[in-house]
Amino acid sequence: MKNAVSWILVVFLTISLLNNCLERKTYQEISKKQSFVDQLRQLYSSGNASSWPKPVLDPSKPVFSEIGHLPKVEFPADNPYSEDKSVLGRTLFYDPRLSGSSQIACASCHDPELGWTDNKTFSFGHDRQLGSRNAMTILNIAYAQSLFWDGRAGSLEEQSRMPIEDHKEMNEHIDIATDKIAKIKGYEILFEKAFGDSKVTKERIAKAISTFERTVVSPPSRFDKFIDGQKDLFTDNEVMGLHLFRTKAQCMNCHNSGYFSNNQFENDGTALLGSKQQDLGRYMITKNPADAGKFRVPSLREITRTGPWMHNGAFNSLTDILTFYNSGNPEPPKKRSTVYEGITLHSQKSEMLKRLDLTKDEIAQLEAFLGTLSTRTTRPVPPKLPN
């Protein structure tokens, strides 16, 4: 009996000792982890990006621009900013009379209450036709070096007329749209204020809309305020998400600068060549086989407000996108090639896209950080259209 009691006591003491050791080890691990997060918080909120940890970049991306604040918007020399021109551009942006049906305006697909997009997989256009790509937001579009997913427009002035003339979108010839605006008496004073006289031309319409669109810029986000020194604005998960964004997840390869885009074209494995959903992307503009399946890298600013995401609106949650990238952007073997106009094209996914081995917690931390790049939804009152 005494031996049994002794053994029970020994077992009890052993278990107690092991529990204490485990608790101490767990506490030390938590303390070490917290210390690391605290150090990162101090570095990233220091206001000095040169003190940040070195980013992890793919060897194919030797040059990059550090993430940070949006710079001041630059207006082209041949289309300088004026408030009156922006007012005119905003009015035209909301005016459906630029379309063939007089029912569709630029604002139909770029709604400020919906992140300046429409939150649809594909937008409805003329006669309720579906577009072939997801509508990109115009938020911060002043920082884009080319427009549309395939980069077919080199400036906002060039881009602004394309939706007007597209048969699936606004379905109107630019000259006819110009004539309709010229016949509206109420526009005379707006053009005179913007350009010095009341003459209406397609060039002036383009310049006015472009001037307005360049003013559609995000206000400072929590990210901007955090890196300026407001260190308590980020949770621990958001701090870790920022660090992962720049290191292990390697998001910085494409999503860098204050615009959170390198303004380049990349193949992310979503072209689906050889299927009914195939999209040749940049190839349709350059006719360079190497560009098959490449699309413009979108900005991540306001990312939580601008879904669904990708050129085809294929992803409805950021978790799904991050999981896709974490697995290395797998392409179905049967959807990597196609024959187009007698030319065999192959999808060459960007070499930097590899498995990342992020844990579920790390994916959640990345998503938490991305949320800090978005700002509050604005609900501006649409302008009163001239008669």
Side-chain angles (χ1 to χ4, degrees):
M1 184 69 178
K2 288 183 179 180
N3 287 338
V5 172
S6 297
W7 274 111
I8 292 173
L9 182 61
V10 169
V11 171
F12 175 78
L13 290 173
T14 302
I15 292 173
S16 297
L17 183 62
L18 287 172
N19 281 338
N20 287 335
C21 290
L22 289 172
E23 287 178 4
R24 189 180 301 112
K25 184 178 180 181
T26 301
Y27 175 78
Q28 289 173 344
E29 289 176 352
I30 292 173
S31 179
K32 184 178 179 180
K33 182 178 179 181
Q34 186 60 51
S35 176
F36 179 61
V37 174
D38 291 342
Q39 290 177 35
L40 291 178
R41 181 187 299 278
Q42 195 65 36
L43 289 172
Y44 283 120
S45 66
S46 66
N48 179 15
S50 65
S51 68
W52 293 0
K54 185 178 180 180
V56 175
L57 301 172
D58 190 88
S60 65
K61 299 290 182 181
V63 179
F64 87 107
S65 177
E66 184 61 82
I67 57 175
H69 300 300
L70 287 168
K72 182 179 179 181
V73 172
E74 295 184 4
F75 290 81
D78 62 348
N79 189 21
Y81 173 79
S82 77
E83 184 176 354
D84 289 324
K85 196 191 301 180
S86 181
V87 169
L88 170 60
R90 182 170 183 266
T91 306
L92 291 165
F93 187 86
Y94 278 89
D95 200 328
R97 290 169 291 189
L98 284 170
S99 68
S101 64
S102 293
Q103 297 295 317
I104 304 170
C106 303
S108 299
C109 296
H110 301 286
D111 188 332
E113 294 190 36
L114 300 174
W116 293 90
T117 178
D118 59 8
N119 296 158
K120 292 182 172 66
T121 303
F122 301 115
S123 302
F124 287 112
H126 183 72
D127 283 344
R128 300 295 286 176
Q129 295 179 87
L130 276 178
S132 56
R133 289 180 183 152
N134 181 258
M136 301 186 88
T137 180
I138 66 161
L139 259 169
N140 306 308
I141 201 67
Y143 304 100
Q145 295 173 8
S146 61
L147 288 307
F148 297 106
W149 283 102
D150 53 22
R152 63 184 178 273
S155 70
L156 281 172
E157 285 77 11
E158 183 183 355
Q159 178 274 335
S160 62
R161 65 181 287 173
M162 291 183 175
I164 295 174
E165 295 192 304
D166 190 290
H167 295 303
K168 284 188 175 182
E169 295 187 55
M170 297 172 73
N171 192 43
E172 185 63 284
H173 193 284
I174 189 63
D175 291 332
I176 296 175
T178 301
D179 289 342
K180 288 197 291 184
I181 296 300
K183 292 175 182 178
I184 300 171
K185 189 74 173 176
Y187 266 114
E188 290 182 0
I189 186 64
L190 294 178
F191 273 86
E192 185 172 348
K193 286 182 176 180
F195 294 103
D197 61 66
S198 60
K199 185 178 181 181
V200 178
T201 67
K202 59 187 177 185
E203 290 80 14
R204 286 183 170 183
I205 289 175
K207 286 185 174 182
I209 292 176
S210 301
T211 298
F212 164 66
E213 289 182 334
R214 288 189 177 97
T215 69
V216 183
V217 177
S218 294
S221 65
R222 282 201 298 125
F223 163 76
D224 295 301
K225 296 173 183 177
F226 173 76
I227 64 172
D228 272 349
Q230 298 186 43
K231 63 180 183 179
D232 294 330
L233 284 183
F234 269 26
T235 65
D236 287 353
N237 275 345
E238 289 165 349
V239 172
M240 282 303 303
L242 166 57
H243 186 60
L244 288 165
F245 184 92
R246 297 182 67 257
T247 55
K248 183 178 178 180
Q250 298 187 45
C251 308
M252 287 281 288
N253 284 314
C254 294
H255 298 284
N256 53 51
S257 81
Y259 183 46
F260 280 80
S261 168
N262 62 5
N263 272 305
Q264 301 298 308
F265 297 88
E266 302 288 351
N267 185 328
D268 62 3
T270 59
L272 301 177
L273 301 190
S275 72
K276 292 181 179 180
Q277 296 80 33
Q278 81 169 13
D279 192 326
L280 301 181
R282 181 73 172 157
Y283 171 80
M284 297 300 291
I285 308 305
T286 66
K287 301 303 179 182
N288 180 354
D291 286 335
K294 286 187 177 182
F295 299 93
R296 183 163 70 84
V297 175
S299 169
L300 295 185
R301 281 192 178 265
E302 310 293 349
I303 188 69
T304 62
R305 301 171 54 198
T306 56
W309 298 275
M310 301 298 195
H311 72 277
N312 54 3
F315 290 93
N316 291 312
S317 78
L318 292 178
T319 302
D320 288 343
I321 296 177
L322 293 172
T323 301
F324 176 64
Y325 275 87
N326 188 41
S327 60
N329 302 48
E331 282 185 288
K334 294 182 179 180
K335 297 182 180 180
R336 295 179 186 173
S337 64
T338 190
V339 177
Y340 181 78
E341 295 181 344
I343 300 174
T344 299
L345 299 172
H346 301 280
S347 175
Q348 300 292 333
K349 188 180 68 176
S350 296
E351 292 182 0
M352 73 183 110
L353 298 174
K354 305 179 181 74
R355 288 187 63 89
L356 299 172
D357 295 322
L358 297 168
T359 66
K360 287 185 177 180
D361 285 345
E362 288 174 329
I363 289 175
Q365 289 168 339
L366 261 180
E367 185 169 350
F369 166 65
L370 292 176
T372 72
L373 302 177
S374 295
T375 59
R376 289 185 178 182
T377 298
T378 57
R379 293 181 172 82
V381 177
K384 184 177 180 180
L385 299 181
N387 295 312

